[in-house]
């Protein structure tokens, strides 16, 4: 493989991501946030959950570790599942990330089998790696083994006809408008079976 093959591109993109550790969840604050999101008073929420008002107050203020039964009642009262009590709320702040890549202006990376054009290359710490590829390869013999990497991948055929080879499935011929979604840790390669080089859109998860 060259130093500019898809696996390397994905590794580089993933390494530029955010590696900070997730914050520990404050259960009391989470319960309070869920209650206030419903515009419920402490007393109303306690009644809904079948708990004493003082018990709910102690849970919200971190003065009491709830038993499983109390957690179950809380979840039922809030009409959510128990795991949702421990799921941190999504940040409500909109960061406004935005970029446009004009046709033909993506960052180019060529290999023996593909010509890649990286899209949205100006954004760092992306959750997805989108790129357009011109498929040069006409045979599996042109590859140095399977391409495989972490994450999941979406493929969409833009022009031409391709054959998608995967490690655990029979090869499948795909035409313009066809798409596939697969586990990228499974070996995979693409060849063009049309007279002209086929073009495809690839989107790879980085999170």
């Amino acid at each position: 493989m060259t130093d500019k093959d898809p696996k390397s591109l994905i590794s580089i993109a993933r390494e530029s991501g955010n590696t900070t550790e997730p914050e520990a969840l404050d259960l009391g604050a989470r319960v309070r946030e869920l209650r206030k999101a419903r515009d419920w008073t402490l007393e109303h929420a306690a009644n809904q959950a079948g708990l004493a008002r003082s018990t709910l107050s102690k849970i919200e203020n971190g003065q009491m570790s709830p038993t499983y039964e109390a957690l179950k009642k809380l979840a039922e009262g809030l009409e959510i599942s128990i795991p949702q009590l421990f799921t941190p709320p999504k940040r409500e702040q909109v960061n406004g990330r935005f970029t446009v890549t004009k046709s033909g202006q993506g960052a180019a990376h060529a290999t023996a089998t593909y010509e890649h054009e990286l899209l949205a290359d100006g954004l760092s710490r992306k959750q997805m790696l989108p790129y357009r590829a011109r498929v040069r390869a006409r045979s599996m013999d042109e590859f140095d083994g399977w391409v495989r990497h972490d994450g999941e991948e979406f493929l969409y055929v833009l022009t031409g006809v391709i054959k998608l080879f995967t490690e655990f499935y029979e090869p499948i011929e795909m035409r313009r408008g066809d798409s596939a979604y697969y586990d990228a840790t499974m070996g995979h390669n693409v060849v063009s079976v049309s007279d002209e080089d086929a073009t495809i859109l690839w989107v790879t998860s980085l999170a």
Side-chain angles (χ1 to χ4, degrees):
M1 294 297 221
T2 70
D3 62 352
K4 291 183 179 178
D5 64 26
K7 180 167 61 177
S8 297
L9 296 177
I10 291 160
S11 298
I12 291 168
R14 186 173 280 110
E15 287 167 4
S16 68
N18 188 355
T19 58
T20 57
E21 293 295 323
E23 298 177 4
L25 177 70
D26 182 335
L27 178 60
R30 174 63 171 154
V31 171
R32 186 185 305 111
E33 185 258 347
L34 289 166
R35 173 175 64 81
K36 289 188 174 181
R38 289 158 175 75
D39 199 25
W40 289 356
T41 64
L42 195 63
E43 186 171 359
H44 180 73
N47 288 337
Q48 287 290 109
L51 296 172
R53 182 183 182 282
S54 59
T55 298
L56 182 55
S57 177
K58 287 177 181 178
I59 291 172
E60 287 194 1
N61 290 300
Q63 299 171 350
M64 174 186 220
S65 296
T67 63
Y68 177 78
E69 284 303 315
L71 287 174
K72 186 177 178 182
K73 288 181 177 180
L74 267 176
E76 289 176 352
L78 293 166
E79 298 180 341
I80 61 174
S81 65
I82 290 178
Q84 285 178 286
L85 283 173
F86 297 92
T87 304
K90 293 181 180 179
R91 289 191 173 94
E92 295 182 1
Q93 181 179 357
V94 177
N95 59 35
R97 278 158 58 86
F98 177 79
T99 188
V100 172
T101 305
K102 294 287 188 178
S103 178
Q105 294 183 6
H109 294 270
T111 72
T113 50
Y114 304 117
E115 288 182 16
H116 298 295
E117 182 188 1
L118 297 186
L119 308 174
D121 194 44
L123 289 181
S124 62
R125 295 185 293 178
K126 293 189 287 289
Q127 301 298 307
M128 301 178 291
L129 177 65
Y131 53 104
R132 181 164 42 220
R134 178 178 295 276
V135 184
R136 293 174 169 176
R138 293 297 193 278
S139 166
M140 281 286 287
D141 295 336
E142 299 179 48
F143 294 90
D144 182 18
W146 290 111
V147 170
R148 63 175 87 243
H149 47 82
D150 292 338
E152 297 182 325
E153 200 156 70
F154 175 76
L155 177 158
Y156 184 91
V157 183
L158 298 171
T159 65
V161 184
I162 66 165
K163 185 167 284 189
L164 172 62
F165 292 85
T166 54
E167 192 172 7
F168 305 128
Y169 299 89
E170 290 295 318
I172 182 169
E173 189 171 288
M174 301 173 63
R175 298 174 177 273
R176 178 180 178 181
D178 293 344
S179 63
Y181 188 106
Y182 50 88
D183 172 12
T185 61
M186 172 179 64
H188 55 280
N189 290 323
V190 174
V191 302
S192 177
V193 295
S194 49
D195 292 336
E196 71 281 5
D197 291 344
T199 58
I200 58 179
L201 173 68
W202 255 315
V203 181
T204 304
S205 65
L206 295 174

